[in-house]
Structure formats: C-alpha cells, structure tokens
Amino acid sequence: MTPVHSTEARCREFGWEIFERARAAQPRVWHRGWWQQCLLDMSLAYDALRVQLFRFIDVLPVLQSDDAIARHLKEYLDPDRHPMPALGRLALSYAHPKSLHALLIAAMTRRGARMMAGSFIAGNNAEEAIRFVHGLRRRRMAFTLDVLGEFTSSHAQADHYQQTYLDLMNELCPAARTWGFDSLIDRGATGPMPRVNISIKLTALSPSFDAIDPPSAVRSVCHRLRPILRRARDLGAFINVDMESYAYHDLTLELFTRVLEEDEFRGMTDVGIVIQAYLQSAEAHFDRLLSWIRRRGCGIAVRLVKGAYWDMETAVAAQNYSTPPVWLHKWQSDVCYERIARRMLENRRWLRPAFATHNVRTMASVMAAAEQLGADATEYEIQLLNGMGEPLKDALADMGRCVRVYTPYGDQVSGMGYLIRRLLENTANDSFLRQSYRLRDADRLLKDPAEVRPPSRAPRALRFQDTQEDAPMFEFKNEPLTSFTNAVNRERYAAALTHVHGQFGRNYPLVINGETVPTDDWIESVNPSRPTETVGRAAAATTADADHAVAAACRAFRTWRLVDARRRADYLHKAADELRRRRFEFAALITYEAGKPWREADADVSEAIDYLDYYAFHAEHLIHRPRRRDLPGEDNYLVYEPKGVCVVLATWTFPLALLANMTSAALAAGNTVIMKPASATPVVAAWFMDVFRGLDLPPGVLNYLPGDGKTMGRHLVRSTEVHLVAITGSREVGVEVMRAAPDAPASQHHIKKVIAEMGGKNAVIIDDDADIDEAAAGVLKSAFGFSGQKCTACSRAVVLADVYDRFCERLVDAAGAMTIGPADEPATVIGPLIDGSAIRRMAKFLEIARQEGRILLERTDLPAEGYFAGPVIVADVDPSSVIAQEEILGPILCVLHARDFDHALEIANGTRYALTGGLYSRSPAHIERAKRDFLVGNLYVNRKITGSRVDVEPFGGIKMSGDGAKAGGPEYLHGFCNARTITEHTLRHGLASSRELQATA
Amino acid sequence: MTPVHSTEARCREFGWEIFERARAAQPRVWHRGWWQQCLLDMSLAYDALRVQLFRFIDVLPVLQSDDAIARHLKEYLDPDRHPMPALGRLALSYAHPKSLHALLIAAMTRRGARMMAGSFIAGNNAEEAIRFVHGLRRRRMAFTLDVLGEFTSSHAQADHYQQTYLDLMNELCPAARTWGFDSLIDRGATGPMPRVNISIKLTALSPSFDAIDPPSAVRSVCHRLRPILRRARDLGAFINVDMESYAYHDLTLELFTRVLEEDEFRGMTDVGIVIQAYLQSAEAHFDRLLSWIRRRGCGIAVRLVKGAYWDMETAVAAQNYSTPPVWLHKWQSDVCYERIARRMLENRRWLRPAFATHNVRTMASVMAAAEQLGADATEYEIQLLNGMGEPLKDALADMGRCVRVYTPYGDQVSGMGYLIRRLLENTANDSFLRQSYRLRDADRLLKDPAEVRPPSRAPRALRFQDTQEDAPMFEFKNEPLTSFTNAVNRERYAAALTHVHGQFGRNYPLVINGETVPTDDWIESVNPSRPTETVGRAAAATTADADHAVAAACRAFRTWRLVDARRRADYLHKAADELRRRRFEFAALITYEAGKPWREADADVSEAIDYLDYYAFHAEHLIHRPRRRDLPGEDNYLVYEPKGVCVVLATWTFPLALLANMTSAALAAGNTVIMKPASATPVVAAWFMDVFRGLDLPPGVLNYLPGDGKTMGRHLVRSTEVHLVAITGSREVGVEVMRAAPDAPASQHHIKKVIAEMGGKNAVIIDDDADIDEAAAGVLKSAFGFSGQKCTACSRAVVLADVYDRFCERLVDAAGAMTIGPADEPATVIGPLIDGSAIRRMAKFLEIARQEGRILLERTDLPAEGYFAGPVIVADVDPSSVIAQEEILGPILCVLHARDFDHALEIANGTRYALTGGLYSRSPAHIERAKRDFLVGNLYVNRKITGSRVDVEPFGGIKMSGDGAKAGGPEYLHGFCNARTITEHTLRHGLASSRELQATA
C-alpha cells in the first residue's frame, strides 16, 4: 500500500499542475465589463458595501422602471453612508433619482446586471440552453442543468416547475442525439453516459415539503417526481437530486430512496444524490447512503459538495439557540470532504463519484486518491459551477479529466437566491476563488487542510453584538424550538400525544392555599379537533372561592415577599426545567386542548420556559442587587419590591405561554398569584399549577382558580385585597378592568395596578419591490397560523398597487395548498377553532366580508368533525369597513389596496389597535420610514409578524392594544413591583466609613 | 538672616529630641485596660469594623439597660457579618442577648466605655474638673476647659450651656488663686497669664446660629456671650472661641470681632480665636484677623489648629456637588500650618500664638521657627488634647515648653461627637498618633511636608461606589444648593428680591402655539407674606382655549416627535443653563409668589435644573441609543418614542421643580406639552414658559394654560387628543383623572396614560436609641419646612415609649425657637401659608386636633399681615383619629405613642398614604427592619424626610400616594414613552452581513 505521505506528495504535484495550467488559461478570465469589475473591486474592498451591493442585486430583477432602479441604487449605495471607492462615488453622486445622470446609471446597472446573470445562467429557454451546451462541449465539458427555483408555496408553482423539467428533457434529449461522442465526457466506467444531465430540487415539487410529516411530504413530492423520472428513463436523461438546507436533508434522502425502491424505478442507475461535506453528520450520511445502495443492489451517482448554505445554517441556529449542523471552520469541511472523497473512490463499484469543488487542493487530493486507488478518468468526474473558476475547468479538461459544469436555467427573478450564493462564494474572504493563481501562493493553498487548522480555540458563541451598551444584563438563553427534522422528536411528540390522550377525562379541582378544592360546578374542556372527546373537567370557582383564594394569597404574601429574590428565582428556574423535561407532554396537551398544531404548540412551551427563566434572572438582577447611589455619608438605593396579591387573567390563545408570562413575572417579583385561566384551556393551566405544586412552593403563593369570568372573575378583580391585575384578553374586558382599578373604598389602601395586553388588528404592508413569494408565505403564516387565533395574527394585508394582483394570486395559490386537519396530525397547518362560538363568530364575519369585499378564497375542504372554519381571503376591502377595523381572531384575511407607500402606512396605522405590524420591502428608505412611522408595538420587517421571542423581541402593543408593557422585555418586571428609595444618613458625628472617605480623598 | 536649610536642620534636631524624650516617657502609655486595647487593636486591623465599633460607642451612652447594650453590641459587631480578631469573636459569640455571657459582656462594655471616656474628658462637675487640673499642674501643664456640647436647637439648651460656663468660672477662679505660680505655664510674654482658660463654641449659644442672616444671629449669640465675657473679665479668666465646621466659620469670626469691638470689651486681651490650617482659605483668614487685631489695637491669643471636621466637610461637599473648603491632602494642610505658624510668630507682638498639634514634625518646625525669630518659650504655647499623645506632652514640658491641655468637660452623651472625632484621629491611617515613637521612623516622619507630597495626581472625584452595576448610565451632576455662608450669595438673593419686586403687577397671557393669548378673566396672584401685593395676573383659559391648545400641541407633535433626541435634549440643557444663570431671580420669585423662605426656594430652583438636565441626558441615552439584540440575520431593537400630547397639571408646593419635572420629562421624550400651573403660582410658571420661548422652541411644543381646574382643567384632561396626563396634586383629583383615562370614545385611538403623584401622611419613627437632638431637629425641618406645605412633609412623629417624654420636650423647645416671618426675610424658617383658604383649613384641623389630642405647642407670635398660621404640635394622638389619617398640608405635627418598634411600624404604615417616611434609630436591626417593612416610596434613615435629590433619591409614593413612578429615577421617562420593538430580518437568500457572520464563525 502506498504510504500516505506519497499520496500527499502526489496531491501537490497535481495541484501545481492545475495551478500552472490555470495560470496559462487566465487571460480567458470569466468576468468582463465595467459594471462587474467595479462591483467585484468594490465588494472586495469594503465589506459593508458588499452586503449593500448584493442586497441591491437581489431586488434589481423586480424593479420595473429606470426610476425605481435609480431610487434603489441611491438608497442602497448612498455614498454618504457607505465608504466607497472613488469610481463608485462618482457614479452615484447625483442629486435626484430622476436626473439624466441617474437614469443613465440605472440603464447601465440594468445592462450590467443582465451581463452578470448571463455569466452564471444558461438561459431561459431550450434554445438558449442548447446553444450554451454546445459551447461547453466545444470546450470538452459536460453539463448538468438546474432549473432555477426553490421552495415553492403553491401547487401551481410546483406544477410549473415539474413541467419545465419535462419540457427541457423533451427539447434537449432529441438534440443530444445529434452531438458527437466525446470519450472524455460521454464515457463512464461501464460505458456511455447520458448526455443530458438534469439537477433537481425536490422542495420545488410540492408546497407541503415539510419534514414534520414525511409520509404526506413523500406522497405529495413523489406524485410530481415520478413523471420526471419516467421521462428521463424514457428519453435517456440523467437525474440528480440536489441537497438544500439541513432542514430538508433527511426528507430529501428519504424521498430519493423511497421512490427508487418503487418497482418501476428499482433498476434505475442514471440517478444521483448529493453528500454535503460541511455537515458534521456528512460521513454518517455517506454510510447510510452506501448501505442503502448495496441493499438496493444497483449503482447510482453521488455528488460530493461542501455545501452552499453555511451562512443560513449558522444564522438559523444562532436565532434558535441551537447548535449549527455545519462545521464551524472551513478547514473542518475540507478535511471531511477529502475523507469522504476517498471512501467514494474506494466504493466506486457501487457509485459513480462526482466531486464538486472549486478548491484546487481538494481537486488535487481527489486526483491523487483516485490514482492511488487505481481509478481512471472515466470512473469519476469533477463538477464546477458555471461562471466560476473558468481557468480551472480548462486546466482540468486539458489534464484529461471529465469536467461537468453545473448550470442554472431559468429567469433571473427565481434565480436570485442562486446568484447571491454564487456572488457570496466568489467574494468570501476564505474562498479559493478569491485567490489568484499566483504560483507563489500555491504551496500555502495546497497544504493539507488538517494541518492548516488554526491553534485550537473554542468557537465563539457570541450571540449579540459585542458592544457595551447592548450587553445583556444577565445570562439568559432562549429555549430552542424543537426540530421536527429530527425523527426522534417526531416520535416523542407522537408518543406524548398518546400519553396525554390516556389522561383524558380527569377532574381538576381548584387549588387554594396549596389544597385542592372540589366544586359543585365543573367546566368541561373538549378537544376542538374532536369535540366529543373531553380533555378534562376543571372546577368552576364561586365568588366565595375567590374570596378564600384572595385571603390565602394575602396571608402567603406576608412571608413570600420576604423570601430572598434568588430563592424565588430558583423556583422559577426549576419550573422551567420541569417544563423542559416534559415539553412534549405539555405541547401535546396544548395540541389537544387548544387545537394547536405541533409546531405552534411546541413554540408555546418554549416561550413559557423562556418567561420563567427570563423573569427569574431579571428578578435576581433587579431585586437582589439594587441600584445604588452612595455618597460619602449617605447610602442611597432603589429597591424593587412586590406589590401584593396579583390576579392573572389569561386567555386561551397561548394557553401556556401567556399564563407563564404573567404568572412568572408576578412570582419572580415576589407577589402571590391567583391564576384564572381561560375556560377553554383550564387543563393546561392545571398542569402548569401542578408543576409548581411539585416544587413545594409555599401554600397560597400560587392559586388555581378557573371559573366564570363575568361573575367570579369580575368579583376577583374588584376585591379590595388585590393589588395587581395582569390581563391578556379583549379590549372590552381590559378597559373594564382598567376603569375599575382606581376605585378604592376607604378600606382599600392602594390603587390597583393593571397590566393589560389587549387585541390587535394587525397589518402587513407589501411594498412594490417586495419578494412576493416570501411576502405571501409570511402573510399566510401570520394570518392563518393557529387559524388566526392570536392577538398578533395578521388580519390585513396592505398591498401596493403595482403588485396587488400578483400578490393576491400568489396568496390564494399558496393558501389553497395549506393543509387543514385535526391539530394532532403532524402535517396540519390549519387546525380547528377553539370552540363553537368561534365558529359562529367566523360565520358572522364571513357574511360581513361578503358584503364589504371580494372573496378571493374560501376553503371548504374541512374535516367533518371538529370546530373547523376554512381560511378566507377577502380582497378590495375598504380601510374603514367593519372587516378591516374589528378584531376577528380567526382565519379571515383582508387584502387592502394602497395607492403608494404613504397611503399604505396610513391604512396600516388607521385602526385603534397597534399590536404587531409587518412590512415586506426591499427599499431601505421605505424600511426606515416604516420603522419611524408604522406605529405598532412590534414591527417586523421582511418576516412573519407572529412569534416574538422573549428578550430578543419584547412584546406588547400600544394605542388600544395594551398599556405599553413589553412582556419579555427589560421593563416588564417593573410593572409588578413597587420601587422604593432608601436613604440612610451614615455620618454620625462626622464619622464616615472608610469606603466613603476613599471616594473623595 | 538664617538660611532656610538651617531652620530645617534645627527642626530635625528638635524633632529627634521630642522623639527620644517621648520614647523614654512611653511606659506611661495613656490607654490601659482590656476593652480599650481590644478596641484599638481591632479597629486598626479591620477598617469596616472600626466604623461599626465607633457607631456602637456613639449610641452607647443612651442605652439604659444591660439588655439594650447587649442587643446593640450584637447588632453592630455581629461576628458573622464583620471580620473580627479571635478575641473579639470569642467575646461576642453568644446565642442570645439576654444570656449571662451577654450581660457580662454588656457590663464590661459599659465599664470600658466609661474608662475610655474618662481618659478624654475631665469630668462632669467642678470638683472633678479641679481635681483634674491639679493633676495637670503637677505635670507642669496648663489647661483649657471646653464644655461639651455643640449646635443647639432651643433657647433652654443655650441657656443651660451659658450657665455651665458661668458656674464653672465661679468655681474655678477662686480655686485658681490658691495654686502656686509656675513660671513655665503661668507666665506669658508680658507677664502672668490667667490660670483659668476656657474654650467655648458659639453655636451652642443660640438656636438661630445661621449664616443666612448674620445680624439676627449676632443679636442672639451676643446676648448670651456678653455675660460670659463679663464674668471672665471680672474673675480673670481667659476665653477662647473655638472654630467648628466651615458653614459657621465666617459667622463665628464676625461674632467674635463684633463683640470685642463693643465699648465694654474693646480693651479685653485675654481672649482668643482659632485659625484652621486645613481650610484652603486659612491664610486669607489669618490676614483678615491680623489686620482686625491691628485695627482694634490690642492683642489677643490665636490658636492654630489643623481642623477636626475633615470627614464631614468632604462628605457634605460631595453630597452637594460643591468643592470642599478643605485641602484634599494631608500634606497640604501641614504645609499651610507651618506657613501660618511662622507668620504668627513674626506677628507675636499682636497676638499670643498657640500651636495645637500632635504632629512631632509640626511641633519641631514651630520650635525651630520660634528660635530663629528669637521668640522664647514664654511667647508661645503648644496645645494638645487630653488623652492623646501623653508622652509628647511630657517631652515638651521637659524641654521647657509651655504645654496647654485641651480638656472637655461635661457628660458623655453631649460629648459623644467629641469622643468620636478623637477616636477617628487616633486610628486614622495617616494620623501621627497611630505611629509609634520608634526612632527608625523618625527621619521619615520629620520630613518637610512640602517634600513628602505624593506624585501629582488629580484628586479623585469619584462620587458613587465604583462598581460596574451601580455605574450611572450617563454623566449627570446635581446642581449644588446655594451656600448662604457666602456673603456674595446673600447679597445676590437680596438684590434679586428687589429686582423681582420691581416687576410685580404684570399681566401674563396664555401661550398657545407660540403666540400670547389674552383672556377676559384673569387670575390674581398675591404675595402670601403681604397679600396686598399683587405678584402678577395670569390669564384664565376657557375650555375653548384648551381646545386650541390641544390642537396646537397635536400639530406640533407631528414634527417634534421626529426631532433628534439629542436636539430635544439640547433645548432642555439650555433651559437648565438659563435657570442656572437666573437662579436667584427665580428663587426670589418663588419666595414672593409661593411664600417660600430663601433656602427652600433656592432648593426648588436647583431641583428644577436637575430635572431638566437629568431627563435630557436620559432621553439621549434611552432614545438615541436603543437597546439592541441583533442576531445573525436579524436586527432587533427596542425604541422608546413619545406618546403625543401631554397635559401637565402642577401644584404650587414646588411651583418650579414639579412643573419642570413633568414638563421636561414629557418634552425630552418628544411629547408636546400643555402646562396648567396651579392658580396660586401661575407667575413662576409663566417665567418658566418664557425661558423656553427664549430658546425658540418650535411653536405648539410647549403651551402655557393657567385656568380653573374644575372647568378648564377637567375639559383638558378629557380631550380625546390628549395622550398623557402628568399630575401632581391631591388624591381626589388624581383618582378622578385615573378613572377617566380608560374611557375612550370611538374617535379616540388610545388609552390615556396617567402619571400621578398624590398626597402623603408621612411619619417619622423615633426609636428609643435615637439621637434625640438630631431626631427633633430632623422632624421639625420635615414638619415645618415651608410650613408643612409639601406632600413629603412629616405629619406624624411616632415615638417609642422610653423616649416619648424627652422627645416631646426637645421638640417643643426647639419648635419654640424657630423664626416665623415673611418669606423674603432671610432668617425666616417658617413663612406664610399659600392663601386664605389654607388658613381656614388649618383652623379646622386645629379644632380637630384639640379634640383628638393634647396640644403641646401652638405658636401665636405671628406677623400681623399675611397668611400666617403658627406651627402646632399635638401629642397623644390616636393612630386612627382624623388628625393622624388625613393629609393636612400645613404646619400641624402629631406625636403618636408607640409601645415598641413593631407597634411604631404598624402605626407608621397605618394610613392609605405611603409617600415618605423616616426613622431615627441607632439599632442596625431596627434600621434593617424599617428598610424592609416601612413601606413608603422614599424612606430616610437618620435624616429629614423632605428634599430628595434627582437621580440620587428617585422620588415617588406607593399605595394611594402615587402610581409608583419615581421622578428623577431611571424609569420615570419610560412612563412618557411608548416602547416599540423593531425586528428586521436581514438574511436575504442566505445573505448575511459580515458583521453577523463574525458573531458565529
């Protein structure tokens, strides 16, 4: 066996050869033209500018006029705001976007962008594609065509995507037969290879491509994949399935293997799949794939890539506080790649290896390994991307290697994601492409990646910007959402559903002063997906029970207020731990009792955990370490203390999170609490109560008091011994509580504090340069998630004139594809409403909608059983109409037409509510404008408007949506506290303590 | 002339001689006994313990029982809380304060303390004093006796002090005639000296010893000083006037010179005065004194000291943000001392120099200078304190120098201030006394102080404890109060009064939208000290005016909200500067319009300046630099924004400060404001308005709208376009506004925010170990400052049984001595009430008081003109009676009897109000208890309960005294803001900015 060091030496030899040949080929440099050169020069020199530039390129294809281009160019590349080389500065230094100069620049921009796109993309019709392929074959290179387009949100889009492939094969395959045989690129290890090679992204084949429910995704995707495979088989084309982001990895692999195990495809060999070496699990994936191939018994192709979603994977993981699935260092991916490459070559009897890379070292190591393992040039291929590393391609072809060029095909709008990824790669700091082919760099660049690893240091886990003023006050980490990509989690959820179902029908008595108290009346809580199932029965408290609870809470307060803030925090951290431990159980219960689909229920639990931890940390900070202003001779501090007895009135929209928010803030601050949960979800609250009972919280500190709001609830709120009412509910109830608060009979020694979070009538503005696909998807998630039964839900889409029709179309298409079903079924996106009265309420609003607008969509394909109401989209709604002004709290979405951006803001701000709001736009000026003038408690730009995270996005509305308290924010706890200033004069007869004297001496 | 270096050499020789002799004398070390040794050992080793120990010694004399001693000992010297040497730990490690062990320790403590006091104090009657003097004369030392006692608060105390001196001379002088003549100590430069030498503190001779009005202080002090001088002259005794803290320096000097210029004392030479070398102005004082002596034409004695109030002077200056009058470094005082000593010796024909010091270097330098200037031992004397530096005294006497021992006389309670100062000196780190007389230290200790100065560094200006969590958010400094010790300031105030008086009678129209608007009705504002004087006439707005003002504020809001927070802050800083510039004018106006005496009016202006600056800084911090939580791919920030139109309803109790508080917070946050000032003080508000008009604030941003509260005010508050009402006023009005706030007609798109500061019924608890003099003084200042017309005023004194009678007596004595008069007279402590209705209100409450309690004091010595009501003290009031429950807002103080500390807390907490509260106690446990359980917004321990300072003591009440907002605190501005969370998804097609990527890579 050849020793490793000689393979390494061989690798260097190959590397040097590639270098030298590429250098020779370099005059044929790929990019030409002023714009491109300028762009690359600038982006290499100024990092901040690079981002602005690429963002501009992202929006460019949708800009309809030179005016629009000039305006955006100005907004993105304002020379006053971004450092810029002289050339760019000159080009952009014009006064008015409509000046001649500006329009000239705009025209050049458009032309430059078209050129740039053209250098990556093969064309937008078969004719262009064929012409392109001819060019490649002349350079003795093979190709694989990738139809641009990714994640799709409607069946129409998926159909279109499928049809494009079918058409492409129909056109190309007959043409391919006319091409002369080239032994370098048309011959594989076992004979001729298909000349037409297609790459395909499975996420584009179905709007329900979701790992949470593999069987239904498989059903839906295979339905469109099979005809493609058949056509390929019939016409002799090759189909490669691409890999996308990690969330789709397992599902993609499963789909690929499933369909190829089907009888009609069992013998198909002209297919391939991808291994992404930047995944930490890459080698395991390879093992799994290899054993599947062996089991299946006939070979396929495998393309080894490093992976193109590194930025996104790390960002998504950071946002969810989870570990990224990718290697954190470039060299780790490189090492992993080389290891798998070798194993692929070793197993080439089972698979045809394709090595996708632009890294000379990687290519050379593959070639060395191949040589060492006796694989000749027909037994593997090297793949590169169109428009990138052209000298390398020529060098490899000259060296007699089979080079295949990965070439996107389609229009620029749908290809923008692809284009941006390519630009990023070309300009990234550690990209091989950014290096020139100077020979003096060759040795450094050809080093074994395992040896270039930097001195070991822990990867930075920095989450926030590291500036002093932004530094968090305390160590708090959000609880990650469950990844349903992971089969184990899916199984645990299913098991939890079974477990919880087994506990249906139990009775839940009141809990007052640590004792359970049964009552005469009981509240029946049913499963809204199947109302014949009783989730449980909760005791219905009387006003006498309320009095007992207040008395108990009052008694308990005397000692609870004195408990060390750290000990109180400890209870909350323990409760958070318990929820963490039982998170699937709680989520399952929420799925049953509130009718929340899996992901929504899971998020409810994470948020509850966050509140418990957050306020615990915060209380420790606020209460245990008071702010001091000690002067020589005088100690001054500001202490925060509990107020007394707190009544928590929760709603069912977030049966656990909202309850946990108000309750944990109240407890952390040292108040005692009476929880009155919503009558629709008393069982979730009872379980939450049980968590605290399990922690031996002192009796009376937390009491559980479900019951009728109009009688018992109102009585509770008016009790003279209650100091604080925290309420999440309708505006009417909130205002009633607020109005009652200052009333104080003579026996009451305080004014009640009210912390109220009320309704919303939330709008999302869709600007005329928005990414319409993302906007439609975001609006639908915001409007129909949990059937629109969130105070934060999007109820109004305010759409700019230019994109109104297109957006409506996209919206209706996508909404039509959303899965409606019982909440406990994993694929369900839209579950039931909470109860029968909600159904009647929806019917009423639907009737109004019919009168006030044009119904675009009314889904009636609903389950027979359960409180289901289909999503409704109503367009052309007048901003002042009832349907555009009243809170609906259900799956009805209005679409409103806005003349221009000012008008859109006016409409969006034109209700009494101001909870959440959103904007989809790619105009920096409009985004700034909205930040300033779209006056809502939580504004979201270019993302959905529900799902705020504790600490990161403090939550709460203004105007009549709330009193301004921001849950999960730095001041929320203050509302549950009294602040007292304590001043102690410490100078006795001129005697100061030495610490004080130091301060002045 | 002898060159300096030889004087320096001579100084060293003297120094070495003193050292060697003192060393020889050392066996006769002054302190003996276990307790003292233990105390000194411990205090030298543990700095924190030293403070605890001295505080314990401070309270010890008033402890009546062994139980009480044991309890306090345990509380102060808890071995679990303070590091302590093994011996002390053993002594204090007992379980229960009533155990035998504890009582034994208590007894030993009492005995030890008596011994310790005995080693400093000459005795408590003439017999003891004479015995003591005999002892000194045997050691060939002279004496000066100082009757213990300082600042006095009643005429009775002053009389007693005077009488003690007279008695002492009556007893001592005849005895002195029997003493043999000692040439060392009885002979001065010009012949025999008086053998009886008395030191006297002038502050003890009058309760109105206040520099603010020198003539009346002179009158009052001279009245008691003259008999003492006459008796001394008649009996041949010497009188030295001591110097105390800097606040009394100029007045003391003025008194001394004034009385000695009177015909009957013009020729008196056996008198002396003090120069304090630690004052930066010491040399100037000496110059002034010397020229006075020359002018007067006959000599006196001058004692040069370093100064004993350094801790206090620096602390007081730090608390008031002013420059301390003392040198910041010890060496500076030493240098100053030597320079003045030399000048005294040079001028010995005009004065007999006495050098008070325990510093060997200083003594030696004096002796060397004397020798060089040809002064023999009869021409000067060296003074040392009794009980300190005994070996030095013997050494000096042996060397043939005239040593005089400064010896306090009196009981331990009144001597505690003296004792503590001596202990501090003995144990201070840089004290000469703490050094031993080891010869190897001599050279170092004898160095010229001008040469030992440490390497120059700026004196630390650290004001707060330097720990990260306490660090202020921004650079804010409180505006110092005016020092009326300074004659220039007194003159400026008087001039401002004249100036303002000249502007009486002007008309002040409304200011709406930047325009003045006259009205049909006018509000007449009179001077309550002389109601026939009209301060000015303010327009009375109608409801129509209110509507105009709201409309103007609404319009102005549209642009004002968008103004950069830093620019808004700039307006406020400029307004603060303008108030600073015109502070005397504003204070004078307040004196006239509100009837506030000088100091109170001055504090009103300082507080207003503070609010303007504080909120300006805070808004810059809060609004300009929002809190960020950026994640990779997502920017998150929390912005604070104005709410809209703010109505400010102010009261007349702090006509400027309260208005400035609410107005500047509202403006800083970006709201527009309608000021409705109290009808009693519209002119102060009009002037405040003018300050902003002078700054060109945009029209409509600030509007001035005096008028009737019941009609116009109510209308204003209910306007649908008002977003925010900030009110300081009665509970009734506050609750009415709060109740109206949630009401919102359909046209109103928000719920009004109310920030309310309401009444108080504030209590001060006087514990049985309190310093009764300080407590009485503090309670009176709190109760009768501005005639009790502050929401923060003390209305109830809750006194523990053991000290009830004594406290009442002290209170009544002191209250009887408070000067009542027109507010514009500087000596006035109690001015008029605000108006005629307040007089009627007081009469009503006085009637109730007569029925509900025992009237202890009812001052009827009132000016004939003006709205005057004399202070009333009513004792034995039941806690539930009307007079103990209702807010009075006038000079009526209830005294309530408490069985024990628990009972006192129960009474103090037993009203619906909870604004301020106070405690006078020297029990650490009770102080802790009160901090925990005395539930008021602002609690003050061992100081007056009025006069909170911005930032240092955030201000605001709880229960029914307010909504918990703390003015001048870190969260006040939040109440004037909406918080909005802004989230921007920045990841476009996987494109993150490089900054974001860094965070995870």
Side-chain angles (χ1 to χ4, degrees), chain B residues 175-330:
Chain B
R177 279 176 223 126
T178 67
W179 302 335
F181 180 84
D182 183 332
S183 62
L184 185 58
I185 55 177
D186 294 333
R187 193 181 58 188
T190 55
M193 294 193 298
R195 298 183 193 177
V196 173
N197 188 310
I198 302 288
S199 289
I200 187 166
K201 288 191 173 59
L202 297 190
T203 59
L205 287 183
S206 165
S208 5
F209 196 99
D210 187 342
I212 203 167
D213 186 16
S216 68
V218 167
R219 257 194 317 277
S220 153
V221 173
C222 289
H223 166 70
R224 288 198 184 81
L225 179 57
R226 285 189 202 99
I228 295 174
L229 289 175
R230 282 183 203 123
R231 183 71 51 91
R233 189 186 53 201
D234 296 347
L235 295 178
F238 178 96
I239 301 290
N240 198 86
V241 168
D242 283 1
M243 274 294 176
E244 303 171 63
S245 63
Y246 183 69
Y248 306 128
H249 180 279
D250 288 5
L251 183 54
T252 302
L253 195 61
E254 171 151 4
L255 268 160
F256 177 79
T257 55
R258 278 276 194 100
V259 78
L260 289 178
E261 283 168 11
E262 291 175 4
D263 281 345
E264 71 173 305
F265 305 116
R266 200 183 291 280
M268 203 169 170
T269 56
D270 286 336
V271 288
I273 185 86
V274 172
I275 295 285
Q276 293 163 305
Y278 74 172
L279 291 179
Q280 301 195 26
S281 49
E283 209 162 350
H285 294 158
F286 176 74
D287 289 338
R288 216 197 306 167
L289 182 63
L290 185 61
S291 52
W292 174 80
I293 297 171
R294 288 180 171 172
R295 242 184 1 257
R296 184 165 171 268
C298 70
I300 60 163
V302 174
R303 180 196 301 155
L304 182 64
V305 304
K306 284 186 189 154
Y309 301 83
W310 190 89
D311 288 16
M312 203 194 90
E313 299 291 5
T314 49
V316 166
Q319 286 177 23
N320 191 34
Y321 271 100
S322 46
T323 315
V326 294
W327 300 110
L328 290 180
H329 298 291
K330 180 88 176 69

Side-chain angles (χ1 to χ4, degrees), chain B residues 88-161:
Chain B
R89 188 171 282 278
L90 181 71
L92 294 165
S93 63
Y94 44 81
H96 192 274
K98 294 205 172 176
S99 68
L100 189 62
H101 181 183
L103 296 183
L104 190 67
I105 293 286
M108 284 172 69
T109 302
R110 191 188 291 281
R111 190 170 154 271
R114 214 177 293 126
M115 270 179 57
M116 187 168 56
S119 69
F120 291 111
I121 298 174
N124 199 12
N125 56 53
E127 199 184 326
E128 285 173 7
I130 290 170
R131 199 180 320 130
F132 177 85
V133 167
H134 284 164
L136 280 183
R137 292 187 66 87
R138 266 197 299 278
R139 287 165 68 195
R140 304 197 67 191
M141 294 172 197
F143 71 93
T144 180
L145 278 185
D146 157 66
V147 175
L148 286 168
E150 299 173 33
F151 198 78
T152 190
S153 62
S154 72
H155 292 291
Q157 273 182 304
D159 286 342
H160 173 78
Y161 191 75

